[in-house]
Amino acid sequence: MLRKLLMTAVATCFASGVASAVEVTMYYPVSAGGPIAQAYESLAADFTKANPSITIKPVFAGNQVDALVKAQTAARGGNPPAMAIIDSTNVFTLMEDDMIQPISDFVKTEDEKKMLADIYPAFLANSVVGDKVWSLPFQRSTVIMYYNKDAFREAGLDPEKAPATWAEMAAAAQKLVKKDAQGNTVRYGIEIPSSQPDFYWPFQAMVTEAGGTMMSADGKKTSFDSPEMNKSLNYWLSLIKSGAMPSGITAWATVPTNFLAGKTGMMWHTTGNLVRVNKEAKFPVGVAMLPADVKRGTPVGGGNIFIFKGAPAAEKEAAWQFAKWLVSPERSAEFSAKTGYVAVRKAAYDVPAMKKYVAEVPSALVARDQLQYAVKALSTYDNARVHKALMDSLQAGLNGQMPPDAALKKAQADATQILKRFQ
Amino acid sequence: MIGTRSRHWVEGWLLVLPALVLLVAFTHWPVIASLIDSLNSTPRRGAAPNFVGLENYQRLVADPVFAKVMWNNAVFAFGTIPTSVVLALLMAVWVNSAIRGRAALRLAYFTPTILPMIAAANIWLFFYTPDYGLLDQITGLFGFGRTNWLGNPDTVLWCIVVMTVWKEAGFFMIFYLAALQAIPPDLTEAASLDGTSRWYFFRRVTLPLIMPTTLFVLVNAVINSFKLVDHIVVMTKGGPDNASSLILYYIYETAFSFWDTAYASALTMVLLVVLALLALVQFGVLERRIHYR
């Protein structure tokens, strides 16, 4: 009798399991100050409303590094999330661990191919390895320059004209410095984050502007001791030396807070903070492309959608449906307007709601327009380790514990050692 | 006769079994597994690990970051242990005396202990923030400029030490307070009849009587100086340039950021040996000098 009851119970469970919704777990990171969590929650709810057979469970997974660690740990434990939004630079690491399934495997119809073709090429740069697309861009950004127009006016600078070259920026930063009676700086000219794990990113912007590159396309070689790297570190140091930039390490999350509090006239930060900055600033905010040395430049940044190989096929298929829906022009436009991240689709900027938003907030276009100068973000095999080797040395250089060229030589030597087993 | 003895034998083992199972599953087996992992290479892409002997330990000797985190940990231990223990004793003696608002004072000293480390670290992150952090606002009143407390390799570790002492001292105070209250009042009376000075009494009677507590507190303080890692994650992530990284944070980074499990196992073995040696010193040497009632 008991046995029969149990059997019935088990059978019912199975039957209801098949009939009920597929549940897709999605990890996502938050490394900017915008209302990102709310944006994902509402996107997930809207998707389920339109597709009742699929439930999306967005899981906040910390910052970019935490999100990666969490997904890797779950995958190693045999229980990977079906999808995760992870910093696009981790593609080689995830490939090496055989954890992800290429997006190319899912792209079958003409519409899907068109979708891929409509994504800004700069955003796809970190996704393509060999002949395959490994991840789908979504929560993407670039470094941009924010400046305080009131402070510009006060310092006798033109608030409608952002510095366009390194020399102009250094000069403007110098003018923006304000000191109190005791000679203590109450407002710096510029702040650029130099804390880990993000330091490499604005630094790569400088290196790109100086005309250099940081790594080879196959992710197996770095060029951390190049003349352009030296030039960039020296430029950074010169900003500190002139008193226009605070000394020591400036934390990623502190920079926007300082900017909003009027403690710095300009900052370099992610476009992912655009909505927050525009909302919270008590002064008119200017947004501009990063200044040029020999050319303009920025790395792309932010998270891509990765689909994990080890998840059940039904979940992966459902994740792909959700991923496609997220990257649709309407949804990527919605996400962009809510957060400040750049919409990854060209077509997103033709969506009426987006047109209206851009008309109200023209600064939302700066990051998109800057994409023509954008390069792929520093991405290698054993990515976390190479990033850390570079940033440890950069920090030592910044804090004067090592001369710049010695610091960069050490970074290159360390990276070469780490990448040795991939040659 | 023999039957009874063997039954006792079975009963004995049955009684220790639950504890034994837990101990083997969560302590002994992981240690052995780490030892085995540390003698093998890190498995990559599904490939089985192969035996490499002491290669991971050779890497360790040549690794400047390892040397740095060991040094940092020594500084951290010497910075936190004596200060927090002495401070705990002072606070306990004070809140044990008959003063007004004693309960409020005890509560105030104990509050940091109740806070989770993550919360405490976030509070101190604010204290140390340049310009508008509490510390800079106070020094600002005296005309000092901004200090980048956590962004400077010379100050960052000491900032962590101060924060840890603040967090730990209240916890140790509770043990001292209990020990002080367990001292029989007739000893105090006898001493005052003999006209003993308070300092002499404290040195010759109180201190020896609370030595068992001191040993307990010391053991805990030493373990904590190697065990605490949450505040590093919240406040500095080991930076700048590993200036505030401790051995456990380095193990975490190696294992879960770089996924170099073999090397992380070798680091873990070093940590285990260090802790075992410290425990030997504490229980072997100190305990013999302690008077248990």
Side-chain angles (χ1 to χ4, degrees), chain A residues 63 65-66 68-69 72-73 76 93 95-99 182 184-186 188 191 196-197 246-250 254 257-259 261 263 309 382 384-386 388 391-393 395-396 399 401-402 410 421-422, chain B residues 42-46 59 63-65 68 129-132 140-146 148 150-154 233 236-243 245 249-250 252-261 263:
Chain A
N63 68 16
V65 172
D66 300 334
L68 169 72
V69 169
Q72 281 176 311
T73 313
R76 275 167 199 257
T93 308
M95 273 169 63
E96 202 219 345
D97 288 341
D98 202 20
M99 282 181 182
Q182 281 99 12
N184 296 321
T185 306
V186 291
Y188 283 94
E191 284 187 11
Q196 300 203 28
S247 63
I249 301 306
T250 308
T254 327
T257 320
N258 287 348
F259 178 72
K263 299 274 181 195
K309 208 174 189 173
D382 224 339
R385 208 168 221 171
V386 171
K388 187 167 154 57
M391 288 186 277
D392 279 352
S393 290
Q395 289 186 332
N399 275 319
Q401 293 166 301
M402 267 187 192
K410 178 171 180 299
R421 66 187 168 95
F422 302 100
Chain B
T42 296
R44 308 219 184 243
R45 260 214 109 143
R59 258 176 80 191
D63 181 0
V65 180
K68 196 164 184 176
T129 306
D131 285 332
Y132 32 75
L141 294 178
F142 301 99
F144 290 102
R146 130 203 188 111
N148 194 346
L150 296 178
N152 184 332
D154 300 328
V233 177
T236 66
K237 303 237 186 285
D241 188 19
N242 301 308
S245 191
Y249 187 74
Y250 189 46
Y252 166 77
E253 220 173 24
T254 309
F256 294 102
S257 205
F258 310 151
W259 293 98
D260 193 345
T261 45
Y263 190 52

Side-chain angles (χ1 to χ4, degrees), chain A residues 360-401:
Chain A
E360 284 163 18
V361 190
S363 53
L365 282 179
V366 172
R368 187 203 63 169
D369 294 342
Q370 195 179 225
L371 282 178
Q372 54 183 310
Y373 308 110
V375 297
K376 74 190 239 188
L378 174 62
S379 171
T380 63
Y381 281 91
D382 224 339
N383 200 50
R385 208 168 221 171
V386 171
H387 275 208
K388 187 167 154 57
L390 171 65
M391 288 186 277
D392 279 352
S393 290
L394 285 178
Q395 289 186 332
L398 213 59
N399 275 319
Q401 293 166 301

Side-chain angles (χ1 to χ4, degrees), chain A residues 56-396:
Chain A
I56 307 292
K57 234 176 70 192
V59 177
F60 166 62
N63 68 16
Q64 295 278 13
V65 172
D66 300 334
L68 169 72
V69 169
K70 229 169 228 172
Q72 281 176 311
T73 313
R76 275 167 199 257
N79 187 24
M83 67 191 281
I85 296 190
I86 292 175
D87 196 285
S88 63
T89 58
N90 294 303
V91 63
F92 292 112
T93 308
L94 291 167
M95 273 169 63
E96 202 219 345
D97 288 341
D98 202 20
M99 282 181 182
I100 49 172
Q101 183 143 10
I103 292 295
S104 304
D105 287 3
F106 298 94
V107 177
K108 289 180 190 110
T109 65
E110 274 313 303
D111 279 352
E112 288 167 342
K113 280 177 194 151
K114 267 190 207 145
M115 174 192 81
L116 270 191
D118 189 44
I119 292 174
Y120 286 102
F123 284 146
L124 271 176
N126 281 96
S127 303
V128 181
V129 178
D131 54 354
K132 281 192 175 143
V133 177
W134 290 82
S135 62
L136 195 61
F138 182 62
Q139 183 180 322
R140 299 310 299 272
S141 55
T142 68
V143 191
I144 48 174
M145 184 160 77
Y146 298 81
Y147 62 96
N148 181 333
K149 289 189 176 177
D150 283 350
F152 263 52
R153 228 168 268 130
E154 200 188 307
L157 295 159
D158 181 358
E160 299 314 317
K161 201 174 149 285
T165 64
W166 280 16
E168 281 178 36
M169 190 179 87
Q174 195 75 71
K175 280 189 185 159
L176 284 164
V177 174
K178 203 163 106 181
K179 298 196 174 195
D180 65 8
Q182 281 99 12
N184 296 321
T185 306
V186 291
R187 183 179 66 212
Y188 283 94
I190 179 145
E191 284 187 11
I192 308 177
S194 50
S195 63
Q196 300 203 28
D198 307 289
F199 187 7
Y200 83 91
W201 199 48
F203 189 78
Q204 193 184 2
M206 274 190 195
V207 176
T208 312
E209 287 150 19
T213 51
M214 278 183 161
M215 74 292 179
S216 63
D218 62 2
K220 292 180 181 176
K221 283 203 167 66
T222 58
S223 43
F224 292 162
D225 54 355
S226 69
E228 293 85 3
M229 292 278 291
N230 269 290
K231 191 175 178 188
S232 305
L233 185 52
N234 280 313
Y235 178 62
W236 197 305
L237 282 166
S238 74
L239 292 170
I240 293 178
K241 218 170 167 187
S242 72
M245 185 151 82
S247 63
I249 301 306
T250 308
W252 170 259
T254 327
V255 172
T257 320
N258 287 348
F259 178 72
L260 289 169
K263 299 274 181 195
T264 175
M266 299 182 273
M267 70 162 176
W268 286 20
H269 219 268
T270 168
T271 155
N273 262 325
L274 184 68
V275 168
R276 176 193 168 202
V277 168
N278 277 336
K279 205 172 102 193
E280 292 178 18
K282 293 183 187 70
F283 48 82
V285 176
V287 175
M289 287 187 206
L290 298 181
D293 178 34
V294 299
K295 58 173 188 174
R296 289 200 190 262
T298 172
V300 290
N304 279 7
I305 300 167
F306 286 85
I307 294 184
F308 280 74
K309 208 174 189 173
E315 282 183 26
K316 285 193 284 191
E317 191 48 45
W320 170 239
Q321 296 304 326
F322 182 52
K324 271 196 311 189
W325 184 84
L326 280 179
V327 182
S328 69
E330 293 75 20
R331 298 304 154 191
S332 50
E334 179 189 336
F335 185 74
S336 172
K338 274 184 179 161
T339 60
Y341 280 99
V342 186
V344 292
R345 294 278 296 270
K346 292 169 197 158
Y349 290 88
D350 298 329
V351 174
M354 191 66 171
K355 279 188 165 159
K356 190 165 156 274
Y357 168 67
V358 168
E360 284 163 18
V361 190
S363 53
L365 282 179
V366 172
R368 187 203 63 169
D369 294 342
Q370 195 179 225
L371 282 178
Q372 54 183 310
Y373 308 110
V375 297
K376 74 190 239 188
L378 174 62
S379 171
T380 63
Y381 281 91
D382 224 339
N383 200 50
R385 208 168 221 171
V386 171
H387 275 208
K388 187 167 154 57
L390 171 65
M391 288 186 277
D392 279 352
S393 290
L394 285 178
Q395 289 186 332

